[in-house]
């Protein structure tokens, strides 16, 4: 049995009770991952022996009677999150053989609770949104239809059934977008919920680790473990972490939902996506939910704003890739030449365009005309969203305006980035957001139709999870 | 000939005396083997730990801001200054660009008995860089070496207003700054070791003009003396150019200590565009009033306050007060001597001539000297009471300086104590008078010189230890009555 239908908690229980042997289970996970890797290219530096070794280690731990709520639950880790035992490449040639000296705090917590690290997820170079089409290790295929992109290995691994959940980062919405492309759940918690120590991030003011899973209960299980203050991360919050597992059992009462006025007035919005979202919203009304349209002015500038800020931060954050101390080093005659060669050959042309964009808009007169204006717009977007969420429990919008793009279609790392049109606002405001998959009843081409995105109040992941569970169990 | 006014502003960097670096736990000790005091944070490794602010460094900087009369920022924030250089591991330097720790302060210099305030524009905290070494020039060097031990060491930058008018004022400003920072105990300010570095912005303008002339930035001055010499040279260079009708090229110039000249530096990276923005990894840290008050309370009496107090309380001339407050240790030494011997000017004279003469000759500071303040006080007491002569005291002092011994012990050992006991002296005088009847007769017949001869004989008899005043008095009384 693959564990495909079991929740993480149920799987862990059957392992603890001995109904499922860990070594046997490990072989099964290894087989599923190997198959998924060969079909969809979702992992980097994949080695089935790593899974065998890890499950043997866990078997010893289970035998010792330790409290392991995630015993044997297989998970995938996006390859910009550090572990001591595996390489961390960020999908870049620059770090193709890089082994970090530190381990991510969230990963450490998951391992302590018995979770089984299966493999590192393939990803766009440094997580910079190109819809899973800009990895040094090749494009990521969508398990629902391999001609289309899977967005990220972390999402595709969950969709393929190889793992129960994934831990990945979300910059301007990449985690949510990939989950929507693959038809699975994706949750980006409030900025500061999960320690950022151990991430190789490119947009530190927005980037936040989150969870991708097939079932809401698995989101809750993983979230309960990875959240919490980390003294090593001054941006992490000391805000109390509730037991999400218990909280999602409560049904939400009369959730007030806001829908931005003219949410569907976007040329890039595909008709199918629009119709599916509109139909769902109709069904929600009256059923636990009240729905109102609210005028949002700045929300629509979020993706442009986020692109600018994240480009400047990426330009700065990736300045340490100079070939001096680690990673790829270009052949060169002298120091300046070494920088140039290292960065010319180590980064992809898409990434270089993005970094150049960041360098440009933070220099000379553009500093005031673009970068500072973007910073001001960010405050306006944040204030507007927070004000709206004083009166409503949730804001709903599509996750991505379109279905998973075809592989081989053009990538635009620059503006306008319509993929982030609906996701960027929550990133800029640091608010929690969850994407819920809408499956196509007619199964045209096998691709999921869309994701419904729920944006919540700061620290209120609870409502997002409760609504997600309600949709999952009763409404769809 | 046209008269010019010199306008100088100084940018001073000092390394703070914290045990660890600004954002990680690495040691800041000087002189370790290259790249042994490093970690993922200060090496800028991907996925390394996040920067965690060293509160002591922040506290030291606030202390300096208060001591330099600055307004302290209510929020401690850090920004990224982005540029590429091999000695900068992250590709950006964490600094306080938008909100410096302190602004709008001043310090006072004293020159020829006059005081002058030099404005401090701002004072901020930042990370030091690593150290790069090439063989000659960066382009032609076959390879370059880099040591990251210094990368991330807390560095405080103090930027003065262009209020300095001469090389001498620059030297005095720098000296006063060092004195204050040493009083606070937050930096050792050793220019030779690089824990204090100084760049000077220098320009000239016609006397009476309020506009600033074109300036050059002078670097590579590694001692107080080279700051003075470098500025003197650069001012003269600019004056010559201006007098010949040419104009100054704004540029960075290097002071060449060996040749005694400044020369234009070949610019490597011309990048004034640092693209500064707040570092997202370091949230603002509130500087609350309580914290500032507790730091304020920990500040010792500063050199200027001490200087004015010494003049007021001890009636010292300004020059003495300036010298004695030059270091906190010397001022403390002076005041400790005073507790034993309350003659402020006499003590000052002894310290400024004898003690400082010996310290300079030995090339050591007051803290390394063996002589104790209490003992110097005791010695001066003995002189005051007439138990030893001033001349003897100097030789006792020599011994005290060399060995750190108690003056009374030295006097005893060397048999130097003055004989002031009247009974003892009476016997000696009688013996001498009996042995020299001719001189006694000469005295009575009006030859006053005979008295001097007799005193000399007594001193000879006592190996110079007899109290001369007492001998004179007793001898005269005895002769008159005989
Ligand atoms: Zn370090």
């Amino acid at each position: 049995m693959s564990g495909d239908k079991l929740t993480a908690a149920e799987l862990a229980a059957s392992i603890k009770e001995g109904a499922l042997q860990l070594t046997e289970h490990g072989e099964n996970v290894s087989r599923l991952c190997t198959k998924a890797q060969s079909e969809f290219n979702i992992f980097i530096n994949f080695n089935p022996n790593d899974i065998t070794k890890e499950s043997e280690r866990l078997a010893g731990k289970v035998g010792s009677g330790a409290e392991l709520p995630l015993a044997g639950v297989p998970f995938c880790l996006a390859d910009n999150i550090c572990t001591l035992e595996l390489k961390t490449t960020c999908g870049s040639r620059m770090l193709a053989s890089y082994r970090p000296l530190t381990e991510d705090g969230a990963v450490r917590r998951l391992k302590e609770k018995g979770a089984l690290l299966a493999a590192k997820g393939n990803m766009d170079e440094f997580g910079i949104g190109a819809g899973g089409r800009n990895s040094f290790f090749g494009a990521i295929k969508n398990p629902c239809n391999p001609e289309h992109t899977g967005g990220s290995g972390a999402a595709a691994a969950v969709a393929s059934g190889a793992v129960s959940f994934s831990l990945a980062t979300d910059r301007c919405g990449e985690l949510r977008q990939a989950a929507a492309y693959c038809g699975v759940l994706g949750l980006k918690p409030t900025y500061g919920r999960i320690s950022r120590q151990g991430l190789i991030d490119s947009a530190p003011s927005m980037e936040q680790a989150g969870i991708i899973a097939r079932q809401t209960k698995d989101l809750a299980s993983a979230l309960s473990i990875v959240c919490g203050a980390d003294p090593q991360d001054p941006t992490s919050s000391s805000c109390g972490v509730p037991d999400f597992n218990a909280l999602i059992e409560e049904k939400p009462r009369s959730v007030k939902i806001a829908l931005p006025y003219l949410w569907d007035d976007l040329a890039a919005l595909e008709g199918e996506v629009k119709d599916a979202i509109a139909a769902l919203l109709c069904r929600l009304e009256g059923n636990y939910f009240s729905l109102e349209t609210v005028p949002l002015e700045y929300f629509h500038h979020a993706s442009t704003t986020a692109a600018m800020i994240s480009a400047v931060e990426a330009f700065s954050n990736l300045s340490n890739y100079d070939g001096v101390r680690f990673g790829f080093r270009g052949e060169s005659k002298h120091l300046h030449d070494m920088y140039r060669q290292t960065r010319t050959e180590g980064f992809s042309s898409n990434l270089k365009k993005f970094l150049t964009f960041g360098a440009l808009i933070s220099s000379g007169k553009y500093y005031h005309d673009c970068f500072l204006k973007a910073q001001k717009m960010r405050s306006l977007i944040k204030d507007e969203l927070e004000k709206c969420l004083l009166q409503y429990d949730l804001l709903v919008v599509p996750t991505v305006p379109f279905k998973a793009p075809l592989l081989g279609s053009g990538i635009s790392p620059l503006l306008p980035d319509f993929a982030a049109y609906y996701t960027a606002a929550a990133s800029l405001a640091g608010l929690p957001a969850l994407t819920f998959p809408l499956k196509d009843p007619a199964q045209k081409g096998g691709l999921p139709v869309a994701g419904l995105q729920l944006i919540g109040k700061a620290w209120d992941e609870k409502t997002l999870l409760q609504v997600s569970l309600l949709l999952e169990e009763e409404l769809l | 000939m046209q008269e010019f006014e010199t306008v100088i502003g100084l940018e001073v960097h000092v390394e703070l005396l914290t045990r660890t670096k600004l954002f990680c736990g690495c040691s800041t000790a000087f002189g370790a083997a290259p790249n042994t005091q490093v970690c993922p944070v200060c090496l800028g490794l991907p996925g390394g730990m996040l920067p965690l602010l060293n509160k002591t460094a922040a506290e030291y900087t606030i202390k300096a801001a208060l001591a330099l009369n600055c307004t302290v920022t209510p929020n401690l924030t850090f920004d990224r200054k982005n540029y590429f250089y091999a000695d900068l591991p992250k590709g950006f330097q964490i600094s306080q660009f938008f909100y410096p720790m302190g602004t709008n302060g001043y310090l006072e210099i004293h020159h020829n008995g006059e005081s002058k305030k030099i404005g401090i524009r701002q004072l901020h905290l930042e990370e030091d860089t690593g150290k790069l070494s090439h063989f000659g020039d960066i382009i032609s060097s076959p390879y370059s070496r880099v040591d990251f031990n210094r990368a991330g060491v807390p560095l405080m930058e103090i930027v003065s207003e262009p209020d300095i008018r001469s090389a001498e004022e620059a030297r005095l400003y720098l000296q006063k700054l060092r004195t204050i920072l040493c009083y606070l105990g937050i930096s050792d300010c050793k220019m030779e070791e690089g824990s204090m570095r100084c760049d000077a912005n220098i320009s000239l303008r016609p006397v009476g003009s309020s506009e600033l002339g074109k300036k050059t930035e002078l670097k590579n001055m590694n001692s107080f003396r080279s700051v003075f010499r470098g500025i003197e040279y650069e001012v003269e260079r600019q004056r010559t150019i201006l007098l010949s009708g040419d104009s100054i090229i704004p540029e960075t110039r290097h002071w060449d200590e060996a040749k005694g000249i400044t020369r234009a530096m070949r610019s490597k990276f011309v990048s004034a565009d640092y693209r500064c923005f707040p570092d997202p990894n370091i949230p603002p840290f509130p500087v609350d009033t309580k914290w500032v008050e507790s730091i304020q309370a920990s500040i010792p009496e500063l050199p200027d306050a001490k200087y004015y107090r010494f003049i007021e309380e001890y009636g010292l001339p300004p020059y003495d007060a300036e010298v004695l407050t030059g270091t906190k240790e010397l001022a403390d030494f002076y005041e400790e001597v005073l507790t034993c011997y309350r003659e402020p000017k006499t003590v000052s004279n002894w310290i400024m001539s004898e003690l400082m003469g010996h310290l300079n000759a030995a090339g050591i500071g007051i803290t390394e000297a063996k002589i104790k303040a209490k003992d110097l006080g005791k010695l001066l007491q003995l002189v005051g009471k007439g138990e030893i002569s001033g001349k003897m005291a100097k030789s006792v002092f020599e011994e005290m300086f060399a060995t750190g011994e108690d003056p009374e012990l030295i006097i005893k050992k060397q048999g130097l104590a003055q004989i002031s006991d009247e009974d003892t002296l009476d016997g000696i005088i009688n013996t001498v008078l009996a042995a020299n009847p001719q001189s006694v007769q000469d005295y009575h017949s009006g030859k006053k010189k005979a008295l001097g001869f007799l005193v000399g004989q007594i001193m000879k008899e006592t190996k110079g230890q007899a109290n001369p005043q007492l001998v004179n008095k007793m001898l005269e009384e005895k002769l008159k009555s005989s």
Side-chain angles (χ1 to χ4, degrees), chain B residues 379-390 392 417-420 465-469:
Chain B
L379 177 71
L380 298 184
Q381 267 178 17
L382 294 172
V383 179
K385 279 193 256 167
E387 288 182 22
I388 55 169
S389 68
M392 272 184 224
Q418 211 156 226
I419 303 168
S420 300
Q465 282 173 269
N467 180 332
Q469 285 89 22

Side-chain angles (χ1 to χ4, degrees), chain B residues 258-424:
Chain B
K259 294 195 180 117
I261 57 165
T262 69
R263 53 192 165 73
M265 240 167 103
R266 177 139 66 118
S267 66
K268 291 160 189 167
F269 274 105
V270 187
S271 162
D273 202 342
Y274 291 121
R275 304 179 162 89
C276 294
F277 66 88
D279 193 318
N281 286 330
I282 311 167
F285 191 87
V287 181
D288 60 56
T289 336
K290 261 202 182 142
W291 193 28
V292 175
E293 278 168 4
S294 77
I295 294 170
Q296 180 81 62
S298 73
I299 294 179
E301 185 185 28
L302 291 171
D304 279 337
K306 240 188 232 305
Y307 167 83
Y308 288 117
R309 183 166 66 79
F310 278 19
I311 294 172
E312 177 84 3
E313 193 176 327
Y314 304 133
L316 290 181
Y319 179 73
D320 291 38
E322 181 81 20
V323 173
L324 292 175
T325 56
T327 69
K328 185 173 179 296
E329 290 74 21
L330 188 65
D332 288 348
F333 189 94
Y334 172 71
E335 293 205 280
E336 205 183 331
V337 179
L338 278 189
T339 61
C340 308
Y341 186 69
R342 216 176 157 78
E343 288 291 337
K345 183 58 186 153
T346 311
V347 175
S348 168
N349 290 345
W350 268 83
I351 288 183
M352 287 174 56
S353 55
E354 292 304 311
L355 179 59
M356 292 185 66
H358 279 78
L359 287 175
N360 287 341
I364 58 171
I366 183 73
T367 47
E368 298 145 280
K370 287 182 182 157
I371 184 167
K372 294 177 216 52
K374 285 250 153 40
D375 289 340
L376 178 57
K378 218 188 257 178
L379 177 71
L380 298 184
Q381 267 178 17
L382 294 172
V383 179
K385 279 193 256 167
E387 288 182 22
I388 55 169
S389 68
K391 209 175 150 199
M392 272 184 224
K394 284 186 183 172
S395 89
V396 174
F397 179 88
E398 197 123 340
E399 193 62 19
M400 287 165 73
F401 188 84
T403 63
E405 272 181 351
D406 184 290
E408 282 174 333
L409 208 72
I410 296 169
I411 289 166
K412 214 180 211 173
K413 260 202 324 211
Q414 299 189 352
L416 288 174
Q418 211 156 226
I419 303 168
S420 300
D421 179 57
E422 296 199 9
D423 290 341
T424 316

Side-chain angles (χ1 to χ4, degrees), chain A residues 3 15 44 51 64 92 114 179 206 219 259 367 384 408 431 439 471:
Chain A
I15 283 173
I44 294 176
I51 302 176
S64 77
S92 179
M206 290 183 255
L219 283 184
L259 181 67
Y367 185 88
E384 182 181 69
L431 297 176
K439 304 270 164 58
L471 293 174

Side-chain angles (χ1 to χ4, degrees), chain B residues 228-248:
Chain B
F228 181 82
R229 287 179 67 207
I231 293 175
E232 286 254 281
Y233 178 90
E234 182 60 16
V235 167
E236 273 320 298
R237 191 189 69 89
Q238 290 193 11
R239 192 190 311 280
T240 311
I241 291 172
L242 290 173
L243 284 175
S244 74
D246 287 341
S247 63
I248 305 298

Side-chain angles (χ1 to χ4, degrees), chain B residues 21 24-26 37-43 151:
Chain B
K21 292 186 180 180
C24 63
C26 292
Q37 294 168 353
V38 291
C39 73
V41 178
C42 57
L43 282 179

